[in-house]
Amino acid sequence: MDVVVAVVGIVVGAGIVVAGVVGAHWYLWRRLVWETTERGSIARRTGTGVIVAGTALLIGAFVSESAGVPFLITQIIAWPGYLWGALFLYLVLWLLVGELVRPLLRRWITHSSRSEAAVTEVRVPETAPRDDPVPVSRRLFVSRAVGAAATLAAVTTIGYGTNGVLSGPRVKQLTVPLAKLPRAAHGYRIAVVSDMHLGPILGRGFAERVVETINGTQPDLIAVVGDLVDGSVEHLRSAVEPLSRLHARHGAYFVTGNHEYFSGAEQWIEHVQELGLRLLTNSRTELPHFDLAGVNDLQGERIGQGPDFAAALGDRDLARTAVLLAHQPVQIHDAVEFGVDLQLSGHTHGGQLWPGNFIAGLANPTVAGLERYGDTQLYVTRGAGAWGPPVRVGAPSDITVIELASKQA
């Protein structure tokens, strides 16, 4: 019975999503194409074709990797497909803002037309020739004005957000006091990077910028907290090669994210170690002044490699500070149970595309930043890259350098 209810719930949920997407496309076409062009015109055909082609490319970008499409083809369709997805979102949002402007604009045009008509009635003799061209209807004028403004605003938003991603993440500094941290570890610096999503869009050049930025902070330790790639080792070997140049006094550590399990986790687990990253798979290492542990991502349960907090933390000395690397913030509840002092996570991208932060907040206890849960602190980075469209709006990418502070110092 529970299985039936679950299946029905999935079907209903999928139906609602599909209906919403179809409805949004119809709204976009109606406002931006049908109401601004003439029936049978080239402009209407072109506008309709752009929406249909963009949607087809977006679907193709989503399914190409899992469908076994050659990687070169995936790269070709990923850029226009994903960018259309982001542009579509902001076209709809700006058109919705335009709904507030439409009645005001119509009222202003009506008032201006009445004033002009009154002046014309007084000053123009009845014998004057009426050879002026027929004016564009008020409704058409308003639709075109709002559509043009919404398009300009959406394109500007996407351009700004794309530049923010491609220019690379900025460094964010954060001090985190830990009660049990010894005085000797005061000022210890951990560079936290997550969600690079190297793949058909963000490649080797982006990886080089990230590595250069991290090394420039001169951290004591580097924590790569999952979602490194979107694609196979075969296709992304060159893209990830710069990671071999990551340098920190106590090395660079890696834990899996959910996207590794979509991209051949077994091969990536082996390859990141070949690059010089130290793997934490439900395990820990004892550093001079604190324990560093890492657990697999929840998605690993699909192949019997899910998170195991007992294996990573079960038999440790509770008098020592414990720092945990766990890709998803929702793993904080187990971290609290096992007495972790600080959990470092990513996964959320801070929402990536506003208002995605509100949606991310429904599924994650913390979307971005530092929060406390009992005696455990959770820090969530917005990540260095982007998934899907290489665009961020309202959620700038970051590499966070966390400086541990001892309360005994």
Side-chain angles (χ1 to χ4, degrees):
M1 186 64 180
D2 292 338
V3 174
V4 173
V5 172
V7 171
V8 171
I10 292 173
V11 171
V12 171
I16 293 173
V17 171
V18 170
V21 172
V22 171
H25 276 81
W26 177 86
Y27 170 75
L28 176 65
W29 176 81
R30 181 178 178 85
R31 285 302 199 198
L32 211 56
V33 179
W34 188 79
E35 293 182 354
T36 63
T37 60
E38 297 178 1
R39 179 181 298 178
S41 65
I42 294 177
R44 178 169 293 188
R45 293 172 183 172
T46 301
T48 302
V50 167
I51 293 177
V52 172
T55 304
L57 285 170
L58 177 59
I59 294 173
F62 268 117
V63 305
S64 59
E65 183 72 18
S66 58
V69 174
F71 190 66
L72 178 59
I73 302 299
T74 300
Q75 289 178 300
I76 292 172
I77 65 177
W79 268 100
Y82 283 127
L83 281 177
W84 167 255
L87 181 61
F88 168 77
L89 170 65
Y90 286 104
L91 280 171
V92 171
L93 290 177
W94 281 112
L95 283 171
L96 290 174
V97 173
E99 299 296 342
L100 303 176
V101 178
R102 285 175 184 272
L104 300 177
L105 190 54
R106 287 174 185 163
R107 188 177 305 170
W108 175 77
I109 292 174
T110 300
H111 177 74
S112 299
S113 299
R114 288 173 178 171
S115 299
E116 182 180 348
V119 172
T120 302
E121 183 177 350
V122 172
R123 296 182 179 178
V124 180
E126 292 185 5
T127 56
R130 297 183 179 274
D131 55 355
D132 292 336
V134 177
V136 178
S137 72
R138 296 167 192 169
R139 186 179 297 275
L140 181 60
F141 175 81
V142 170
S143 294
R144 287 177 174 176
V146 172
T151 300
L152 178 61
V155 170
T156 301
T157 301
I158 297 305
Y160 177 81
T162 302
N163 180 70
V165 171
L166 298 183
S167 61
R170 296 183 178 181
V171 175
K172 179 180 178 181
Q173 305 280 351
L174 179 67
T175 299
V176 179
L178 298 175
K180 294 185 293 184
L181 189 73
R183 181 180 302 178
H186 183 75
Y188 192 95
R189 302 168 77 246
I190 303 175
V192 183
V193 60
S194 181
D195 301 280
M196 280 190 254
H197 288 284
L198 301 176
I201 292 182
L202 300 178
R204 184 185 180 95
F206 182 79
E208 289 174 343
R209 284 192 291 277
V210 170
V211 169
E212 181 180 355
T213 301
I214 293 174
N215 287 344
T217 67
Q218 299 182 323
D220 296 300
L221 183 145
I222 299 168
V224 183
V225 198
D227 278 9
L228 175 63
V229 293
D230 282 311
S232 66
V233 173
E234 176 188 0
H235 295 145
L236 298 177
R237 189 179 299 273
S238 174
V240 300
E241 189 276 332
L243 298 177
S244 65
R245 298 192 286 277
L246 285 172
H247 177 73
R249 181 162 60 102
H250 288 152
Y253 289 83
F254 174 80
V255 293
T256 56
N258 54 308
H259 279 246
E260 271 70 60
Y261 295 96
F262 305 144
S263 306
E266 294 88 347
Q267 291 77 25
W268 278 115
I269 285 172
E270 179 179 344
H271 191 62
V272 294
Q273 295 178 87
E274 294 174 358
L275 293 171
L277 276 67
R278 304 178 190 182
L279 186 67
L280 290 173
T281 52
N282 297 325
S283 58
R284 75 174 182 277
T285 182
E286 294 185 359
L287 296 175
H289 303 295
F290 63 92
D291 294 339
L292 180 70
V295 291
N296 296 348
D297 185 75
L298 292 165
Q299 196 64 221
E301 295 174 353
R302 297 171 54 195
I303 58 174
Q305 297 180 8
D308 188 337
F309 283 80
L313 298 160
D315 58 349
R316 73 180 190 86
D317 181 359
L318 296 178
R320 287 172 57 87
T321 296
V323 176
L324 173 70
L325 310 185
H327 179 65
Q328 297 197 37
V330 294
Q331 295 173 285
I332 184 62
H333 305 297
D334 289 302
V336 172
E337 181 180 345
F338 280 87
V340 169
D341 297 277
L342 174 63
Q343 175 178 316
L344 303 176
S345 298
H347 183 63
T348 68
H349 297 208
Q352 185 167 327
L353 296 171
W354 186 95
N357 54 308
F358 299 110
I359 299 174
L362 298 176
N364 297 276
T366 297
V367 174
L370 182 68
E371 292 187 355
R372 176 177 290 276
Y373 295 84
D375 293 329
T376 303
Q377 295 183 79
L378 168 64
Y379 178 73
V380 182
T381 172
R382 291 189 177 94
W387 178 75
V391 183
R392 282 177 173 264
V393 177
S397 58
D398 71 70
I399 291 168
T400 304
V401 177
I402 290 183
E403 183 173 305
L404 303 183
S406 171
K407 293 187 176 181
Q408 304 170 34

